[in-house]
Structures are given as structure tokens and as C-alpha cells.
């Protein structure tokens, strides 16, 4: 199975940052050039002399097993992994503090939407000159490579190695749909009608939950709609969080909220949500490929009762998917061993054994095209009543729209959006208000960081 697509038309996310003072491409780890050294990009990336010890921060469950396999195969390049909370749950702040203090790890797990933030603070190393990096482009789903390379044709460097993706689909309770005579919705209008039918049949049930704490989930909804929040106009940033397309998405979910068809008091990844799943009080979850293990591991009483279908479409006949999440392995800006760090990052995200471990232990849906051929992704999944659910996500990955750009201050943008969503769910304003507030505050955030904003 190949998920290669036509060359995407991403508006490169960080052209404007090229003028900022960035760290040197790759700090030389000592020694002279070797046959493993690479050229190209900005500067060189030479092999270090002697044995090398690297540190790596990641929140992937079971990642230490993959690292142990690397260490077994590479006695001269040993990696020590530190298990951390999810990026926005504290790891990113700790990375930023460590970078300022000069004691950051050599490598870190960083989500696509946060790469720009770290580059802005000079926290990343350009690994384009490191052996095998540029040649690895064809090893990854194309839109993911576009997220780690900036400038036209990647001319402004390679700033991380893609790790996993989050193509979105619809998880739904087959038993509840069958019990209440509900058909699997193919469009968002059908999803709304299904939600009304479910509520009428069981007043205590909700079609899904709408979390206050997952603004990046809402970003995935906007992604599917093609409601791009950012674009480049020369060296300036165009902020368009409150676009007409985004407004359509906001109005749709506001209607679902107003009619009490979605639960607004359940936070994502919370014990209360898991209980609602187990009790049959929440019937669907529009989520990413990695969500299969979230349901499996936290709603064990529902084994065999779930199915997976394509994400509902805004217009019948469309075939578009959003993306929620996905990470990279980045070489951080203070690493003294970029050659070895880049070599490990490539291995971790392309080696068949490593990919199998990360999928089995951590539920990662690989960004590497070869990873999509993993045997586990070709098999029926018992928890989902024997459905080959990854076939759905393979199709979704091909249909993730590619003209999407993350802004350079996404941490701020998500915080503003989360605050606005919390207000809307609490009856203070609407989701449309949340978009307008996020738009205005994001412009202010960019300007405070001396980034040019297109008017």
C-alpha cells in the first residue's frame, strides 16, 4: 500500500523566520570528515570521534524498547531515553527551559504543530547536511515531509524526522447504532440527524463529547474543511482563524452544543469520558488513527462493539480527512552530536523493527511509507469485532488535505482557542466568538514577537 500523493502545495510555514538568527545547522561533534559525512544544506554534519552518548525525551509508551534495540545494534552510539508527559502537558516548557539553560537533550519528540515554535526560539538543528537525511524524503508520506522542511523545495533546511501521523475517521458504537436503527453517517448533516435520533431514543446518550481541553481536535475539524488558519504573504503572516469556512465548522458544532446532542462536561482522555464510553453514554468519537488504542485500553467493557468508518463529509461525494496530532523526532539546538542524533532519528522512524515496536507498544501510526506495510496494520483487530480498521485510516491518510500551514506561535493560538471553547461550552459566547477572539489574540501574539502580520 502506498500513500504517496501528488506534490503538495503547502505554503511553507517558516519562510518569514529565515531572517531570524538561527542556530548553526549542525554543531560539529569533533573529528574530521568521514565517509559518513554529508554535504548540502547550511554547513556540515560530521561524525563525532569515539563513543557517543545521546539523550532523548519522548512520551511514546514503550519507546524504551525501541531504544534498547538501537543500543544493542549500535554499541558506539548509546541512547538514554527519558519518559515525559505529552508535549503541551509540560514537556515543551521543560525543553524550552533546558535549551535556555544549555542542558537540553540531544533529541526530543515534537509535534508538527509545535516545530515552528521551537525554531522561533532557536531550539532546533537543521539536519539537512547529515548523512541520509535528504535522501530519506521518499521514505515518508509526502505531506509529513513538507511539515519538517521549510522554504521552497525544502531549501531552508530539514528540521526534524517525521514519526507518526493522525489521519482522522469515525469511531462509532455499532451495537448502539443497530439498537436504535441508526445508519453510519456519510455526511455531517447525516451525523446531526443521527445525533437527534440517538437522543430521542435515549435521552441520557450523547453522539460524542466536545472537550474544552482539545483545541487541536477542533483544528483537525478545520483541516478537513480546508479552513486554513495561517498563510504566508511574502515575509508576512496572514492570520485567518475566523474565516468563513471556519465559521461553518463552528456554527455546525454550536448547533450540536445548543441542542444538547454532545456532552460538554467530559474532558478528553479523562476517567469520566472512559466511564461514559464503557456505559454506552457516548456513541462516537471522531478521532485519529492512534485513537484506536485509547478506546481499546480504556473502554475494555466495550470490546467487539465498536466500528470505524470514514470521517463524515461536508458534501456528499467528497473524500477529505483531517489530521489530529502526529509527531517528529527533532535534533535539538544544543546537541554536540548532530550526525549521530540524526542517524538515530532516521533509524527510529524507518527501521522495520523500530516501527513494529512503536506501533505495538505505543499505538503509533507511522509516517514512514514502509511502516504502513506493517503486518499488524493489515490484520483484523479483535477489539473492533474483527474489522480491518487500518484500511480506513490508510484511505484517510491519502485524503488529508495538503494545503495546511501551522503558524509560528501555535502554543499561543491553541491556548487562545481553548479559552474561547471553554467559554462557549460554559454558555459565555459561542464557538464563532472563540474563533474571532483567537484570531485577534494570535495577531497580537505574532506582533509582540516582532513577526510581520499581513493586514
Amino acid at each position: 500500500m502506498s500513500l504517496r500523493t501528488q506534490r503538495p502545495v503547502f505554503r511553507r510555514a517558516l519562510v518569514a523566520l529565515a531572517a531570524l538568527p538561527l542556530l548553526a545547522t549542525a554543531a560539529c561533534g569533533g573529528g574530521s570528515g568521514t565517509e559518513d559525512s554529508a554535504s548540502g544544506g547550511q554547513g556540515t554534519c560530521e561524525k563525532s570521534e569515539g563513543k557517543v552518548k545521546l539523550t532523548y525525551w519522548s512520551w511514546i509508551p514503550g519507546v524504551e524498547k525501541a531504544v534498547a534495540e538501537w543500543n544493542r545494534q549500535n554499541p558506539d552510539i548509546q541512547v538514554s531515553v527519558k519518559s515525559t508527559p505529552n508535549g503541551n502537558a509540560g514537556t515543551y516548557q521543560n525543553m524550552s527551559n533546558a535549551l535556555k539553560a544549555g542542558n537540553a537533550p540531544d533529541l526530543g519528540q515534537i509535534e508538527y504543530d509545535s516545530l515552528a515554535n521551537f525554531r522561533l526560539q532557536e531550539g532546533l538543528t537543521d539536519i539537512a547536511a547529515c548523512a541520509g537525511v535528504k535522501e530519506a524524503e521518499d521514505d515518508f508520506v509526502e505531506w509529513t515531509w513538507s511539515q519538517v522542511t521549510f522554504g521552497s523545495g525544502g531549501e531552508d533546511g530539514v528540521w526534524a524526522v517525521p514519526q507518526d501521523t493522525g489521519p482522522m475517521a469515525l469511531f462509532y458504537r455499532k451495537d448502539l447504532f443497530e439498537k436504535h436503527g441508526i445508519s453510519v453517517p456519510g455526511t455531517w448533516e447525516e451525523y446531526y440527524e443521527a445525533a437527534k435520533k440517538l437522543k430521542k431514543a435515549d435521552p441520557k446518550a450523547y453522539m460524542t463529547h466536545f472537550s474544552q481541553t482539545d483545541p487541536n481536535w477542533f483544528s483537525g475539524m478545520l483541516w478537513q474543511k480546508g479552513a486554513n488558519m495561517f498563510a504566508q504573504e511574502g515575509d508576512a503572516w496572514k492570520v485567518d482563524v475566523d474565516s468563513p469556512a471556519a465559521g461553518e465548522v463552528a456554527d455546525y458544532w454550536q448547533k450540536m452544543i445548543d441542542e444538547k446532542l454532545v456532552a460538554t462536561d467530559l474532558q478528553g482522555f479523562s476517567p469520566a469520558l472512559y466511564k461514559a464510553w464503557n456505559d454506552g453514554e457516548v456513541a462516537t468519537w471522531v478521532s485519529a488513527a492512534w485513537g484506536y488504542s485509547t478506546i481499546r485500553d480504556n473502554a475494555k467493557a466495550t470490546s467487539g462493539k465498536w466500528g470505524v468508518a470514514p470521517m463524515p463529509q461536508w458534501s456528499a461525494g467528497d473524500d477529505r480527512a483531517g489530521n489530529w496530532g502526529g509527531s517528529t523526532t527533532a535534533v535539538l539546538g544544543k546537541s554536540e552530536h548532530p550526525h549521530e542524533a540524526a542517524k538515530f532519528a532516521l533509524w527510529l522512524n524507518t527501521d522495520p523493527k523500530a516501527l513494529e515496536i512503536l506501533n505495538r507498544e505505543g499505538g503509533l501510526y507511522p509516517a514512514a511509507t514502509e511502516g504502513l506495510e506493517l503486518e499488524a496494520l493489515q490484520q483484523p483487530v479483535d477489539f473492533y469485532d474483527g474489522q480491518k480498521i487500518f484500511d480506513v485510516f490508510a484511505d484517510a491518510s491519502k485524503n488529508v488535505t495538503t494545503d495546511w500551514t501551522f503558524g509560528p506561535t501555535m502554543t499561543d493560538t491553541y491556548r487562545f482557542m481553548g479559552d474561547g471553547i471553554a467559554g462557549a461550552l460554559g454558555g459565555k459566547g459561542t464557538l464563532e466568538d472563540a474563533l474571532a477572539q483567537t484570531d485577534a489574540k494570535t495577531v497580537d501574539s505574532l506582533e509582540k514577537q516582532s513577526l510581520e502580520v499581513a493586514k
Side-chain angles (χ1 to χ4, degrees):
M1 147 177 64
S2 173
L3 298 190
R4 303 297 292 172
T5 60
Q6 292 183 344
R7 185 74 181 173
V9 290
F10 270 81
R11 302 196 68 163
R12 306 294 175 173
L14 290 175
V15 176
L17 297 186
L20 295 177
L22 299 175
L23 290 176
T25 307
C28 180
S32 59
T34 72
E35 63 181 4
D36 289 329
S37 297
S39 61
Q42 302 173 23
T44 62
C45 182
E46 297 182 353
K47 183 178 180 180
S48 299
E49 294 181 349
K51 293 186 177 181
V52 170
K53 293 183 179 180
L54 302 173
T55 53
Y56 171 43
W57 288 6
S58 172
W59 57 86
I60 304 169
V63 67
E64 66 277 358
K65 295 183 179 180
V67 172
E69 177 63 21
W70 163 271
N71 288 337
R72 185 186 67 80
Q73 296 181 24
N74 298 271
D76 291 337
I77 307 174
Q78 294 289 284
V79 178
S80 174
V81 63
K82 177 182 177 180
S83 181
T84 66
N86 181 276
N88 286 315
T91 294
Y92 291 156
Q93 186 59 56
N94 290 338
M95 278 186 185
S96 295
N97 294 341
L99 284 163
K100 292 175 183 177
N103 58 5
D106 297 278
L107 302 114
Q109 181 179 353
I110 300 178
E111 293 158 295
Y112 297 107
D113 55 15
S114 295
L115 281 175
N117 288 39
F118 277 92
R119 190 180 171 200
L120 184 62
Q121 61 184 281
E122 302 181 5
L124 304 178
T125 292
D126 180 359
I127 57 174
C130 298
V133 171
K134 283 189 173 181
E135 294 80 4
E137 176 177 358
D138 289 341
D139 294 336
F140 296 94
V141 176
E142 195 163 1
W143 73 262
T144 65
W145 194 256
S146 296
Q147 289 290 287
V148 301
T149 59
F150 305 123
S152 178
E155 65 184 13
D156 197 23
V158 180
W159 300 89
V161 176
Q163 184 162 83
D164 69 312
T165 66
M168 299 175 75
L170 175 68
F171 294 91
Y172 69 100
R173 281 286 297 269
K174 295 195 305 179
D175 59 327
L176 298 180
F177 275 38
E178 292 171 2
K179 177 181 178 180
H180 301 306
I182 299 172
S183 300
V184 178
T187 66
W188 285 113
E189 179 60 29
E190 291 173 356
Y191 186 82
Y192 167 69
E193 294 296 333
K196 290 197 298 182
K197 191 170 185 177
L198 175 67
K199 178 63 70 173
K200 183 176 181 180
D202 182 357
K204 295 181 179 180
Y206 295 94
M207 192 62 167
T208 191
H209 72 288
F210 199 111
S211 174
Q212 300 176 15
T213 56
D214 293 325
N216 41 356
W217 171 84
F218 193 69
S219 176
M221 298 292 107
L222 299 179
W223 193 327
Q224 183 206 25
K225 181 65 174 174
N228 299 315
M229 295 190 289
F230 296 91
Q232 292 272 182
E233 293 186 0
D235 288 341
W237 284 96
K238 174 67 174 178
V239 180
D240 202 15
V241 178
D242 192 22
S243 67
E248 289 184 50
V249 179
D251 290 345
Y252 175 88
W253 286 103
Q254 188 65 52
K255 179 172 64 173
M256 297 282 281
I257 292 168
D258 292 343
E259 297 184 21
K260 296 180 170 47
L261 301 176
V262 299
T264 58
D265 59 348
L266 297 174
Q267 301 308 325
F269 313 99
S270 67
L273 174 61
Y274 302 150
K275 184 178 186 302
W277 282 344
N278 277 302
D279 293 345
E281 295 176 358
V282 173
T284 75
W285 188 29
V286 183
S287 188
W290 45 258
Y292 91 96
S293 60
T294 304
I295 298 175
R296 179 198 65 192
D297 296 343
N298 296 287
K300 295 180 180 179
T302 63
S303 180
K305 298 179 180 180
W306 290 86
V308 179
M311 197 173 179
Q313 300 296 305
W314 287 100
S315 299
D318 283 352
D319 202 9
R320 298 165 65 99
N323 185 83
W324 179 14
S327 300
T328 71
T329 305
V331 179
L332 299 189
K334 301 297 183 180
S335 176
E336 296 180 356
H337 308 289
H339 171 96
E340 290 75 19
K343 184 175 181 180
F344 169 74
L346 286 172
W347 177 90
L348 184 67
N349 298 304
T350 59
D351 181 81
K353 181 64 174 178
L355 295 174
E356 186 273 328
I357 293 173
L358 296 181
N359 175 259
R360 183 186 71 238
E361 300 293 332
L364 266 62
Y365 193 73
T369 53
E370 185 171 341
L372 302 178
E373 303 290 347
L374 288 174
E375 183 178 355
L377 300 183
Q378 317 306 315
Q379 303 302 315
V381 181
D382 290 342
F383 184 88
Y384 293 89
D385 196 28
Q387 181 184 354
K388 296 177 68 175
I389 63 171
F390 292 108
D391 288 352
V392 179
F393 290 109
D395 288 339
S397 185
K398 289 184 290 186
N399 295 319
V400 172
T401 57
T402 57
D403 56 343
W404 182 266
T405 298
F406 288 114
T409 56
M410 286 306 298
T411 300
D412 289 346
T413 298
Y414 280 155
R415 184 175 72 254
F416 304 145
M417 186 177 290
D419 290 344
I421 288 173
L425 296 180
K428 298 179 180 179
T430 65
L431 293 178
E432 177 62 44
D433 294 333
L435 292 178
Q437 294 165 12
T438 301
D439 193 292
K441 291 180 178 180
T442 295
V443 169
D444 184 58
S445 174
L446 292 172
E447 291 178 340
K448 285 181 177 178
Q449 298 189 57
S450 301
L451 295 174
E452 185 178 351
V453 178
K455 302 300 182 181

